[in-house]
Amino acid sequence: MEFKNLLIETAAGVATLTVNRPQALNSLTSEVLTELGCALYELEYDPAVKVVIVTGAGEKAFVAGADIKEMSAMSSYEGHRFAVKGQHVMMAMEKMKKPVIAAVNGFALGGGLELALGCDFIYASAKAKLGFPEVTLGIMPGFGGTQNLARLIGPNKANELIFTGRIITADKALAWGIVNEVFAPEELMDKAKETAAAIAGVGSLGVAYAKDAIANGLNMGKEDGFRYEASLFGVLFATDDQKEGMGAFVEKRKAAFKGK
Ligand code: CO8
Protein backbone atom coordinates (compact mmCIF):
# COMPACT_ATOMS: atom_id res chain seq x y z
CA MET A 1 0.00 0.00 0.00
CA GLU A 2 1.17 3.54 -0.78
CA PHE A 3 1.39 5.96 2.15
CA LYS A 4 1.33 9.75 1.94
CA ASN A 5 2.85 10.36 5.38
CA LEU A 6 4.99 7.29 6.05
CA LEU A 7 8.16 5.77 4.66
CA ILE A 8 8.86 2.07 5.11
CA GLU A 9 12.20 0.43 4.34
CA THR A 10 12.90 -3.21 5.03
CA ALA A 11 16.33 -4.84 5.10
CA ALA A 12 17.45 -8.13 6.63
CA GLY A 13 14.27 -8.63 8.65
CA VAL A 14 14.20 -5.08 10.07
CA ALA A 15 11.54 -2.62 8.89
CA THR A 16 12.09 1.08 9.55
CA LEU A 17 8.79 2.94 9.71
CA THR A 18 9.32 6.70 9.46
CA VAL A 19 6.59 9.26 10.12
CA ASN A 20 7.26 11.63 7.25
CA ARG A 21 5.67 15.07 7.74
CA PRO A 22 8.77 17.05 8.69
CA GLN A 23 7.12 20.33 7.63
CA ALA A 24 4.74 19.88 10.62
CA LEU A 25 7.32 18.14 12.85
CA ASN A 26 5.72 14.78 11.98
CA SER A 27 2.61 15.61 14.00
CA LEU A 28 -0.17 13.05 13.91
CA THR A 29 -3.25 13.91 11.89
CA SER A 30 -6.19 11.58 11.64
CA GLU A 31 -4.83 10.55 8.24
CA VAL A 32 -1.42 9.70 9.71
CA LEU A 33 -3.11 7.54 12.37
CA THR A 34 -5.07 5.67 9.67
CA GLU A 35 -1.84 5.08 7.74
CA LEU A 36 0.00 3.94 10.86
CA GLY A 37 -2.76 1.43 11.61
CA CYS A 38 -2.61 0.05 8.05
CA ALA A 39 1.20 -0.02 7.99
CA LEU A 40 1.43 -1.89 11.29
CA TYR A 41 -1.09 -4.44 10.01
CA GLU A 42 0.96 -4.95 6.84
CA LEU A 43 4.21 -5.27 8.80
CA GLU A 44 2.68 -7.78 11.22
CA TYR A 45 1.78 -10.10 8.33
CA ASP A 46 4.86 -9.51 6.16
CA PRO A 47 7.06 -12.61 6.51
CA ALA A 48 10.13 -10.55 5.53
CA VAL A 49 9.76 -8.44 8.69
CA LYS A 50 10.88 -9.63 12.12
CA VAL A 51 11.38 -6.34 13.98
CA VAL A 52 10.05 -2.79 13.43
CA ILE A 53 11.80 0.50 14.24
CA VAL A 54 9.60 3.61 14.47
CA THR A 55 11.22 7.00 13.94
CA GLY A 56 10.54 10.50 12.59
CA ALA A 57 11.73 12.22 9.40
CA GLY A 58 14.08 15.20 9.49
CA GLU A 59 16.56 16.57 11.99
CA LYS A 60 14.16 18.09 14.48
CA ALA A 61 11.38 15.79 15.56
CA PHE A 62 10.39 12.23 16.26
CA VAL A 63 6.74 13.33 16.47
CA ALA A 64 5.77 16.69 18.02
CA GLY A 65 2.34 15.48 19.09
CA ALA A 66 -1.09 15.10 17.64
CA ASP A 67 -1.81 17.78 15.03
CA ILE A 68 -3.00 20.79 17.05
CA LYS A 69 -4.42 22.55 14.00
CA GLU A 70 -6.71 19.58 13.25
CA MET A 71 -7.66 19.12 16.94
CA SER A 72 -8.44 22.80 17.51
CA ALA A 73 -11.77 22.51 15.66
CA MET A 74 -12.92 19.21 17.16
CA SER A 75 -16.17 18.70 19.05
CA SER A 76 -16.23 16.62 22.23
CA TYR A 77 -17.43 13.61 20.25
CA GLU A 78 -14.69 14.08 17.64
CA GLY A 79 -12.06 14.48 20.37
CA HIS A 80 -13.16 11.20 21.91
CA ARG A 81 -13.09 9.43 18.53
CA PHE A 82 -9.63 10.87 17.81
CA ALA A 83 -8.30 9.66 21.18
CA VAL A 84 -9.69 6.17 20.58
CA LYS A 85 -8.20 6.12 17.08
CA GLY A 86 -4.76 6.96 18.47
CA GLN A 87 -5.17 4.37 21.20
CA HIS A 88 -5.89 1.73 18.53
CA VAL A 89 -2.48 2.47 16.99
CA MET A 90 -0.72 2.15 20.38
CA MET A 91 -2.61 -1.06 21.11
CA ALA A 92 -1.74 -2.44 17.65
CA MET A 93 1.97 -2.06 18.48
CA GLU A 94 1.49 -3.74 21.87
CA LYS A 95 -0.51 -6.62 20.36
CA MET A 96 1.87 -7.18 17.42
CA LYS A 97 3.84 -10.41 17.58
CA LYS A 98 6.89 -8.50 16.37
CA PRO A 99 8.97 -6.24 18.61
CA VAL A 100 8.69 -2.51 17.94
CA ILE A 101 11.56 -0.20 18.92
CA ALA A 102 11.15 3.59 19.09
CA ALA A 103 14.18 5.56 17.85
CA VAL A 104 13.41 9.01 19.24
CA ASN A 105 15.48 11.37 17.11
CA GLY A 106 14.13 14.73 18.35
CA PHE A 107 10.95 16.17 19.90
CA ALA A 108 8.66 13.44 21.26
CA LEU A 109 5.82 15.49 22.67
CA GLY A 110 2.25 14.63 23.57
CA GLY A 111 0.98 12.07 21.06
CA GLY A 112 4.60 11.67 19.92
CA LEU A 113 5.72 10.51 23.35
CA GLU A 114 2.62 8.33 23.44
CA LEU A 115 3.71 6.76 20.14
CA ALA A 116 7.15 6.05 21.62
CA LEU A 117 5.62 4.65 24.82
CA GLY A 118 3.42 2.38 22.70
CA CYS A 119 6.59 0.74 21.36
CA ASP A 120 8.29 -2.10 23.28
CA PHE A 121 11.23 0.08 24.29
CA ILE A 122 12.77 3.43 23.47
CA TYR A 123 16.24 4.49 22.32
CA ALA A 124 16.79 8.25 22.18
CA SER A 125 19.16 10.72 20.60
CA ALA A 126 21.03 12.97 23.05
CA LYS A 127 19.17 15.91 21.50
CA ALA A 128 15.71 14.41 22.00
CA LYS A 129 13.21 16.33 24.12
CA LEU A 130 10.31 14.50 25.67
CA GLY A 131 7.16 15.58 27.47
CA PHE A 132 3.42 15.90 27.68
CA PRO A 133 2.56 19.58 26.96
CA GLU A 134 -1.17 18.77 26.68
CA VAL A 135 -2.09 20.64 29.88
CA THR A 136 -0.61 23.81 28.36
CA LEU A 137 -3.25 23.41 25.62
CA GLY A 138 -6.09 22.83 28.07
CA ILE A 139 -6.28 19.09 27.40
CA MET A 140 -4.63 15.90 28.69
CA PRO A 141 -2.82 12.96 27.07
CA GLY A 142 -5.33 10.83 25.14
CA PHE A 143 -3.40 8.23 23.16
CA GLY A 144 -2.74 5.98 26.18
CA GLY A 145 -0.07 8.21 27.75
CA THR A 146 -1.57 8.37 31.24
CA GLN A 147 -1.78 4.58 31.32
CA ASN A 148 1.49 3.63 29.64
CA LEU A 149 3.68 6.20 31.43
CA ALA A 150 2.27 5.45 34.89
CA ARG A 151 2.77 1.72 34.31
CA LEU A 152 6.32 2.30 33.08
CA ILE A 153 7.71 4.71 35.70
CA GLY A 154 5.05 4.67 38.43
CA PRO A 155 2.35 7.24 39.15
CA ASN A 156 4.47 9.81 41.02
CA LYS A 157 6.91 10.65 38.22
CA ALA A 158 4.12 10.30 35.63
CA ASN A 159 2.00 12.75 37.65
CA GLU A 160 4.84 15.30 37.76
CA LEU A 161 5.55 15.10 34.04
CA ILE A 162 1.90 15.17 32.96
CA PHE A 163 0.64 17.79 35.48
CA THR A 164 3.43 20.29 34.73
CA GLY A 165 3.61 19.86 30.96
CA ARG A 166 7.40 20.17 31.36
CA ILE A 167 9.67 19.04 28.56
CA ILE A 168 12.66 16.96 29.70
CA THR A 169 15.99 16.03 28.16
CA ALA A 170 16.91 12.56 26.93
CA ASP A 171 19.27 12.16 29.90
CA LYS A 172 16.50 12.89 32.37
CA ALA A 173 14.20 10.48 30.52
CA LEU A 174 16.96 7.88 30.85
CA ALA A 175 17.32 8.54 34.59
CA TRP A 176 13.54 8.24 34.98
CA GLY A 177 13.42 4.93 33.10
CA ILE A 178 11.42 6.22 30.13
CA VAL A 179 14.15 5.46 27.60
CA ASN A 180 16.52 2.47 27.67
CA GLU A 181 19.60 4.20 26.21
CA VAL A 182 20.73 7.56 24.89
CA PHE A 183 23.06 7.81 21.88
CA ALA A 184 24.79 10.57 19.95
CA PRO A 185 22.34 11.77 17.26
CA GLU A 186 24.44 10.34 14.41
CA GLU A 187 24.62 6.94 16.14
CA LEU A 188 20.95 6.51 17.06
CA MET A 189 19.68 4.69 13.96
CA ASP A 190 22.74 2.43 13.72
CA LYS A 191 22.33 1.42 17.36
CA ALA A 192 18.59 0.82 16.93
CA LYS A 193 19.29 -1.27 13.82
CA GLU A 194 22.04 -3.21 15.62
CA THR A 195 19.65 -4.18 18.41
CA ALA A 196 16.87 -4.92 15.91
CA ALA A 197 19.25 -7.18 13.95
CA ALA A 198 20.17 -9.05 17.15
CA ILE A 199 16.47 -9.67 17.81
CA ALA A 200 15.84 -10.61 14.16
CA GLY A 201 18.54 -13.30 14.45
CA VAL A 202 16.99 -15.27 17.32
CA GLY A 203 13.90 -17.47 17.42
CA SER A 204 11.03 -15.15 16.48
CA LEU A 205 8.38 -17.34 18.14
CA GLY A 206 10.21 -17.20 21.46
CA VAL A 207 10.40 -13.42 21.13
CA ALA A 208 6.71 -13.15 20.16
CA TYR A 209 5.56 -15.30 23.06
CA ALA A 210 7.81 -13.46 25.53
CA LYS A 211 6.32 -10.15 24.34
CA ASP A 212 2.83 -11.61 24.77
CA ALA A 213 3.65 -12.90 28.28
CA ILE A 214 5.09 -9.56 29.41
CA ALA A 215 2.33 -7.37 27.93
CA ASN A 216 -0.60 -9.55 28.97
CA GLY A 217 0.99 -10.67 32.24
CA LEU A 218 1.15 -7.03 33.39
CA ASN A 219 -2.65 -6.97 33.29
CA MET A 220 -2.94 -10.11 35.46
CA GLY A 221 -2.26 -11.06 39.04
CA LYS A 222 1.13 -12.74 39.55
CA GLU A 223 -0.18 -16.31 39.82
CA ASP A 224 -2.24 -15.93 36.64
CA GLY A 225 0.79 -14.38 34.96
CA PHE A 226 2.97 -17.33 35.96
CA ARG A 227 0.32 -19.76 34.67
CA TYR A 228 0.08 -17.81 31.39
CA GLU A 229 3.89 -17.82 31.01
CA ALA A 230 4.05 -21.60 31.61
CA SER A 231 1.37 -22.30 29.02
CA LEU A 232 3.13 -20.22 26.35
CA PHE A 233 6.44 -21.87 27.32
CA GLY A 234 4.83 -25.28 26.80
CA VAL A 235 3.48 -24.31 23.36
CA LEU A 236 7.01 -23.45 22.20
CA PHE A 237 7.96 -27.12 22.66
CA ALA A 238 5.59 -27.93 19.79
CA THR A 239 7.55 -25.70 17.37
CA ASP A 240 10.35 -26.38 14.90
CA ASP A 241 12.25 -23.39 16.35
CA GLN A 242 12.59 -25.09 19.76
CA LYS A 243 13.90 -28.26 18.14
CA GLU A 244 16.26 -26.28 15.92
CA GLY A 245 17.52 -24.01 18.73
CA MET A 246 18.24 -26.78 21.18
CA GLY A 247 19.46 -29.16 18.45
CA ALA A 248 21.93 -26.54 17.24
CA PHE A 249 23.23 -26.03 20.78
CA VAL A 250 23.79 -29.77 21.26
CA GLU A 251 25.43 -30.08 17.81
CA LYS A 252 27.57 -26.97 18.41
CA ARG A 253 26.33 -25.09 15.32
CA LYS A 254 24.47 -21.86 14.69
CA ALA A 255 20.69 -22.26 14.76
CA ALA A 256 18.75 -21.52 11.57
CA PHE A 257 15.35 -20.47 12.88
CA LYS A 258 12.32 -20.48 10.58
CA GLY A 259 9.73 -18.87 12.86
CA LYS A 260 7.46 -21.92 12.90
N1 CO8 B 1 0.57 20.05 15.53
C1 CO8 B 1 0.51 20.74 14.38
N2 CO8 B 1 1.58 21.42 13.86
C2 CO8 B 1 2.72 21.37 14.56
C3 CO8 B 1 2.85 20.67 15.77
C4 CO8 B 1 1.71 19.96 16.25
N3 CO8 B 1 1.73 19.21 17.36
N4 CO8 B 1 4.11 20.83 16.22
C5 CO8 B 1 4.74 21.61 15.33
N5 CO8 B 1 3.91 21.94 14.32
C6 CO8 B 1 4.20 22.76 13.15
C7 CO8 B 1 4.24 24.24 13.50
O1 CO8 B 1 2.94 24.80 13.54
C8 CO8 B 1 5.10 24.78 12.37
O2 CO8 B 1 4.29 24.88 11.23
P1 CO8 B 1 4.23 26.28 10.39
O3 CO8 B 1 5.65 26.46 9.90
O4 CO8 B 1 3.25 26.00 9.32
O5 CO8 B 1 3.83 27.33 11.37
C9 CO8 B 1 6.09 23.66 12.11
O6 CO8 B 1 5.50 22.48 12.67
C10 CO8 B 1 7.43 23.86 12.77
O7 CO8 B 1 7.21 24.08 14.15
P2 CO8 B 1 7.75 25.36 14.96
O8 CO8 B 1 7.97 26.51 14.04
O9 CO8 B 1 6.84 25.58 16.13
O10 CO8 B 1 9.16 24.80 15.44
P3 CO8 B 1 10.01 25.29 16.71
O11 CO8 B 1 11.35 24.68 16.58
O12 CO8 B 1 9.90 26.77 16.87
O13 CO8 B 1 9.26 24.62 17.97
C11 CO8 B 1 8.20 22.82 19.17
C12 CO8 B 1 9.26 23.24 18.10
C13 CO8 B 1 8.65 23.32 20.55
C14 CO8 B 1 8.09 21.31 19.16
C15 CO8 B 1 6.85 23.49 18.80
O14 CO8 B 1 6.57 23.21 17.45
C16 CO8 B 1 5.69 23.00 19.63
O15 CO8 B 1 5.54 23.40 20.77
N6 CO8 B 1 4.85 22.12 19.04
C17 CO8 B 1 3.68 21.62 19.72
C18 CO8 B 1 4.04 20.57 20.73
C19 CO8 B 1 2.83 20.09 21.47
O16 CO8 B 1 2.19 20.83 22.20
N7 CO8 B 1 2.51 18.81 21.30
C20 CO8 B 1 1.38 18.20 21.97
C21 CO8 B 1 0.17 18.30 21.12
S1 CO8 B 1 -1.29 17.73 21.97
C22 CO8 B 1 -1.24 16.07 21.77
O17 CO8 B 1 -0.31 15.52 21.23
C23 CO8 B 1 -2.39 15.31 22.32
C24 CO8 B 1 -2.33 13.81 22.04
C25 CO8 B 1 -3.57 13.14 22.50
C26 CO8 B 1 -4.76 13.58 21.68
C27 CO8 B 1 -6.00 12.97 22.24
C28 CO8 B 1 -7.14 13.15 21.31
C29 CO8 B 1 -7.89 14.47 21.51
Side-chain angles (χ1 to χ4, degrees):
M1 194 171 156
E2 288 289 307
F3 297 110
K4 252 171 75 184
N5 305 286
L6 305 177
L7 300 171
I8 301 178
E9 274 175 23
T10 302
V14 178
T16 303
L17 170 57
T18 305
V19 181
N20 186 31
R21 282 185 86 218
Q23 71 285 1
L25 302 190
N26 306 320
S27 52
L28 303 172
T29 57
S30 192
E31 181 182 70
V32 177
L33 292 176
T34 300
E35 290 193 357
L36 279 169
C38 293
L40 291 167
Y41 188 83
E42 281 188 7
L43 294 169
E44 173 74 325
Y45 292 101
D46 183 345
V49 174
K50 294 198 164 22
V51 184
V52 178
I53 298 172
V54 176
T55 194
E59 296 295 305
K60 226 166 159 178
F62 172 70
V63 166
D67 189 296
I68 299 169
K69 291 166 192 163
E70 184 180 344
M71 277 188 301
S72 63
M74 283 180 185
S75 66
S76 171
Y77 175 73
E78 289 163 340
H80 177 260
R81 293 284 293 163
F82 190 53
V84 171
K85 188 172 188 179
Q87 289 172 356
H88 282 156
V89 171
M90 311 311 155
M91 216 34 116
M93 294 193 291
E94 186 175 316
K95 295 287 172 203
M96 268 177 93
K97 297 284 178 217
K98 300 169 183 181
V100 186
I101 302 170
V104 172
N105 52 310
F107 287 110
L109 303 177
L113 181 50
E114 291 175 305
L115 183 68
L117 289 167
C119 298
D120 295 310
F121 58 87
I122 305 173
Y123 282 175
S125 147
K127 72 176 175 70
K129 296 271 193 310
L130 303 90
F132 281 116
E134 280 90 339
V135 292
T136 69
L137 298 165
I139 57 167
M140 61 179 277
F143 293 165
T146 58
Q147 303 307 301
N148 281 336
L149 188 66
R151 279 171 172 76
L152 183 66
I153 63 174
N156 290 19
K157 290 199 184 75
N159 290 342
E160 187 182 333
L161 198 67
I162 291 170
F163 297 171
T164 59
R166 267 186 207 136
I167 292 172
I168 61 172
T169 61
D171 283 337
K172 180 145 185 180
L174 178 67
W176 276 23
I178 298 173
V179 311
N180 279 16
E181 276 198 73
V182 175
F183 299 103
E186 63 280 9
E187 282 187 342
L188 173 68
M189 284 315 293
D190 286 347
K191 293 292 184 184
K193 285 181 180 170
E194 196 178 299
T195 297
I199 299 170
V202 298
S204 56
L205 291 178
V207 172
Y209 283 29
K211 172 168 170 167
D212 185 338
I214 293 166
N216 285 305
L218 279 172
N219 296 324
M220 298 176 188
K222 190 163 158 180
E223 263 189 60
D224 286 339
F226 270 40
R227 240 190 309 278
Y228 190 58
E229 180 189 74
S231 60
L232 292 176
F233 187 83
V235 171
L236 286 171
F237 282 76
T239 66
D240 292 351
D241 275 7
Q242 177 268 335
K243 286 170 189 60
E244 172 61 15
M246 294 194 173
F249 177 83
V250 172
E251 292 158 20
K252 297 187 186 302
R253 61 175 173 81
K254 191 171 160 22
F257 293 109
K258 295 205 174 72
K260 60 185 187 114

